[in-house]
Amino acid sequence: MVLDKNVAVTMRDGAALRANVFRPDVPGKYPVLMTLGPYGKDVHLSQFMPEAWEALQHRHPEVLKTSSCKYLVFETPDPEQWVPEGYIVMKVDSRGSGKSPGRLDVNSPAEFRDFYDAIEWAAVQPWSNGKVGLLGISYYAAGQWMIAAERPPRLAAMLPWQGTYDFYRDRCRQGGILGAGFLHRWWNRSVLRNQHGNPDTPLVDIDTGERNTGPDSLPPETLVANREDYIANLLARPLNGPWYEERSARLERIDIPALVVANWGGLGLHLRGTILGYLGIASREKWLKVQSGSYFFTFLLPQNVALQRKFFDRYLKDIENGWEREPKVEVAVRAADDTVKRVVRDTQWPLGGTKWTRFYLDAAKLALAPSAHAKAASASYAAIGEGVTFSTAPLDRGLELAGPIKAKLFVSSSTEDMDLFATLRAFDPEGKEVTFFSAVEPRAPVSQGWLRVSQRKLDAERSTEWQPWHAHDEARKLKPGEIVEVNLEIWPGSLALPAGYRLALTLQGKDFERPGESGAQRGSGWFLHDDPRDRPPSRFGGEHTVHSGGERDSYLLLPLI
């Protein structure tokens, strides 16, 4: 393997971004796999996220047998797994980050223009066969939708591995509520530490041991002037609009081959938008796989690298390898012990033959029942408290679900607004909760959903029975005590439950966290919605009430398969 380090890649405005190009040591023309982002092309995973590196070594030692992992960088392909197979891996520091000088403006049209230029630059280099593919996780997956929609001529295929396309609904404001816990951590820890010229960064270059942010040491006021204030931009825009829309891809413009991989273990950021991105693109050659576990680790597993390679071999090398016979949709169904019970192969999402099944809320008994209760009832809870939990009786026979989930609810508040936090949970016959190891939580629930009730308005053209689509373009404040109907989107989930287990729906006015547990990860990980500027107690405190029965049939809609 040959490494061309800090290569200057010229943009349309004359700026030069810095890239690492990992090439086979045999002369020739090879397809290029590219990433562009702000985390640092030269920062080893063990530095960028030590806990992920330690978990990888502990949980998946088989990955370490395929590579020395010297150039393992967060959320990007390991060049040692690709270059020997006849690929070039090119990693670019986005403008204003790492070794690339300029104004830092992440997730922006300016960054997307740079990515377009980098793709076209790479395709005409003497070592390139003229075809570029995109491969990466999370940030390096989410950007792929935007770039593909811009249609750079030499972009030939994309493989977003768990990355949303929807900037408002998933990336920033789940259900209209600012995802402050993740965003603050991400902005300060993942982005600002690596801003170009930051003299106080703890991050160092894999090869040189020097600080990763370039030789210039810029004073704080210059660093501030050289970047957009990401958090301030989000706080200033509680409703969807042009600023968010220009950061969300026009999916109908994407027509290149796409392998889209989602993961049940991605609640709160990517799962929903990865699947909906697959549904929305115009590509005739597109595949969806929904896996289980932590998408950070599954990306590197030998069997998944082989899957990725088979896809790119077909579309970047034109190898007739039978890729087209892959099932269009492949969904892992999780078992109660956090294994995969089975994999369902299909041609559509939601899965064919899904039986949409209602479990009705009974507020008098805090139950989930197969039929609606004739008598009206209500259950109230302190908004900033543990909420209320509705539970089925022990199942008389097992069930399996996989797909989108919804709760239709009738609610009221003692204040002018309310935030709904819904958590779908499961319990074994002894009352122990069924949980899952995920990218954000060691003990994640089955699924979660969020909705700011003042933003309950639906887009009638885009909504279906199982997939409510909220416009988020206006706020309809409540009158204290006013009962309103809401369709709350709970993110897709999968689960096979044996007889004797129970399903439960917990409703709260704050993030789900198990009481009595310590540490940052207590049910929702860092994906908390706790910024008082977005959720002032005067509006989002008070008392909430859920209504059921009579003319107000609140229910949970599940995709039984």
Side-chain angles (χ1 to χ4, degrees):
M1 187 168 70
V2 175
L3 168 57
D4 301 325
K5 192 175 175 75
N6 294 326
V7 175
V9 181
T10 304
M11 303 290 102
R12 67 188 69 180
D13 63 356
L17 305 189
R18 297 294 169 174
N20 288 349
V21 180
F22 298 86
R23 300 184 285 113
D25 59 3
V26 178
K29 292 181 178 292
Y30 303 95
V32 180
L33 298 177
M34 182 181 291
T35 62
L36 182 148
Y39 297 167
K41 63 181 177 59
D42 295 301
V43 180
H44 194 268
L45 174 63
S46 61
Q47 265 220 322
F48 190 86
M49 192 172 285
E51 61 272 29
W53 172 241
E54 291 170 9
L56 177 65
Q57 296 177 87
H58 175 69
R59 298 181 71 93
H60 295 291
E62 67 270 32
V63 172
L64 279 65
K65 295 178 181 178
T66 67
S67 166
S68 75
C69 295
K70 177 179 179 180
Y71 291 103
L72 190 57
V73 170
F74 188 60
E75 295 186 347
T76 63
D78 180 355
E80 290 185 49
Q81 293 182 325
W82 287 93
V83 176
E85 302 295 332
Y87 284 88
I88 290 169
V89 174
M90 179 173 166
K91 303 187 181 187
V92 187
D93 278 343
S94 58
R95 193 181 299 227
S97 72
K99 308 296 197 317
S100 295
R103 182 173 180 78
L104 182 66
D105 190 6
V106 293
N107 295 130
S108 73
E111 185 180 78
F112 307 144
R113 285 192 295 271
D114 286 347
F115 207 161
Y116 184 112
D117 292 349
I119 289 169
E120 294 303 296
W121 179 93
V124 298
Q125 298 308 302
W127 32 255
S128 172
N129 74 349
K131 290 188 175 184
V132 177
L134 304 179
L135 174 64
I137 313 170
S138 188
Y139 192 98
Y140 297 93
Q144 293 184 35
W145 308 102
M146 293 300 307
I147 308 311
E150 295 300 317
R151 294 180 170 175
R154 293 161 175 97
L155 179 59
M158 61 187 290
L159 205 166
W161 193 279
Q162 186 78 344
T164 180
Y165 85 93
D166 195 321
F167 193 71
Y168 182 91
R169 294 170 182 82
D170 302 342
R171 182 71 176 80
C172 302
R173 289 183 169 272
Q174 295 77 30
I177 312 169
L178 183 68
F182 167 74
L183 290 167
H184 284 291
R185 176 186 171 90
W186 170 81
W187 178 239
N188 291 291
R189 191 174 187 266
S190 300
V191 179
L192 293 189
R193 286 197 306 173
N194 193 52
Q195 184 177 359
H196 180 77
N198 179 359
D200 298 321
T201 181
L203 305 176
V204 300
D205 185 291
I206 292 169
D207 291 306
T208 67
E210 298 173 354
R211 70 175 169 86
N212 191 62
T213 53
D216 297 331
S217 293
L218 304 179
E221 58 272 18
T222 303
L223 290 172
V224 170
N226 278 358
R227 66 181 184 240
E228 282 290 314
D229 191 333
Y230 194 89
I231 302 298
N233 281 329
L234 299 178
L235 285 167
R237 296 169 174 86
L239 297 176
N240 200 8
W243 189 83
Y244 290 103
E245 293 295 341
E246 67 181 4
R247 290 160 172 79
S248 296
R250 293 171 56 191
L251 296 175
E252 71 279 2
R253 288 180 49 81
I254 300 175
D255 57 7
I256 60 173
L259 170 57
V260 179
V261 179
N263 193 296
W264 301 123
L267 293 174
L269 184 59
H270 290 307
L271 169 61
R272 170 193 177 277
T274 306
I275 295 174
L276 292 181
Y278 161 82
L279 288 178
I281 61 178
S283 307
R284 293 175 61 87
E285 298 170 292
K286 64 177 182 178
W287 290 263
L288 171 68
K289 297 185 185 293
V290 189
Q291 300 181 340
S292 186
S294 168
Y295 52 85
F296 296 137
F297 304 145
T298 58
F299 178 76
L300 297 166
L301 297 180
Q303 65 269 29
N304 282 329
V305 174
L307 176 77
Q308 299 159 15
R309 189 178 300 127
K310 185 178 181 181
F311 172 75
F312 283 124
D313 280 350
R314 177 66 189 89
Y315 294 109
L316 299 187
K317 292 184 175 182
D318 296 320
I319 296 174
E320 297 287 346
N321 58 9
W323 171 263
E324 290 89 344
R325 293 192 293 273
E326 281 285 320
K328 285 292 187 179
V329 174
E330 191 173 81
V331 174
V333 180
R334 299 181 297 184
D337 62 354
D338 200 5
T339 59
V340 173
K341 180 178 180 182
R342 66 185 179 112
V343 175
V344 179
R345 295 171 177 86
D346 207 329
T347 59
Q348 64 190 66
W349 176 276
L351 297 171
T354 297
K355 183 180 179 182
W356 300 102
T357 304
R358 296 181 181 184
F359 289 81
Y360 290 88
L361 278 65
D362 182 347
K365 298 179 180 178
L366 297 183
L368 290 174
S371 58
H373 202 275
K375 188 175 181 180
S378 63
S380 298
Y381 58 92
I384 312 302
E386 300 310 317
V388 290
T389 297
F390 299 83
S391 176
T392 67
L395 300 174
D396 56 6
R397 60 180 178 178
L399 64 75
E400 293 187 19
L401 63 92
I405 303 167
K406 183 186 87 169
K408 181 178 179 180
L409 303 172
F410 292 86
V411 297
S412 60
S413 174
S414 63
T415 62
E416 65 176 7
D417 207 347
M418 63 184 292
D419 283 345
L420 273 170
F421 295 78
T423 306
L424 182 62
R425 307 164 72 186
F427 296 87
D428 72 11
E430 285 71 48
K432 181 181 178 183
E433 186 174 357
V434 173
T435 62
F436 302 91
F437 180 81
S438 75
V440 300
E441 257 291 339
R443 298 180 62 231
V446 179
S447 193
Q448 294 174 294
W450 305 262
L451 181 64
R452 179 152 289 172
V453 173
S454 61
Q455 294 172 216
R456 62 192 177 276
K457 186 182 82 171
L458 294 174
D459 181 327
E461 291 186 3
R462 302 191 70 171
S463 294
T464 65
E465 179 190 4
W466 57 82
Q467 184 76 60
W469 190 273
H470 298 94
H472 293 299
D473 58 1
E474 65 173 294
R476 297 175 176 175
K477 299 292 176 61
L478 302 173
K479 297 175 182 177
E482 175 191 13
I483 301 173
V484 297
E485 176 185 330
V486 299
N487 289 272
L488 190 155
E489 179 182 9
I490 297 175
W491 284 20
S494 81
L495 179 62
L497 273 189
Y501 282 63
R502 294 181 296 112
L503 277 171
L505 178 67
T506 296
L507 299 176
Q508 298 172 267
K510 68 178 185 66
D511 290 289
F512 170 70
E513 292 186 291
R514 296 181 187 88
E517 296 190 6
S518 60
Q521 295 172 302
R522 295 182 291 167
S524 296
W526 307 300
F527 291 77
L528 304 179
H529 304 73
D530 54 2
D531 192 319
R533 294 170 292 182
D534 182 67
R535 285 171 41 79
S538 60
R539 283 179 57 199
F540 297 99
E543 184 177 79
H544 295 170
T545 303
V546 183
H547 303 266
S548 71
E551 297 179 354
R552 300 189 176 100
D553 288 336
S554 295
Y555 61 82
L556 173 69
L557 184 70
L558 293 179
L560 301 190
I561 58 172

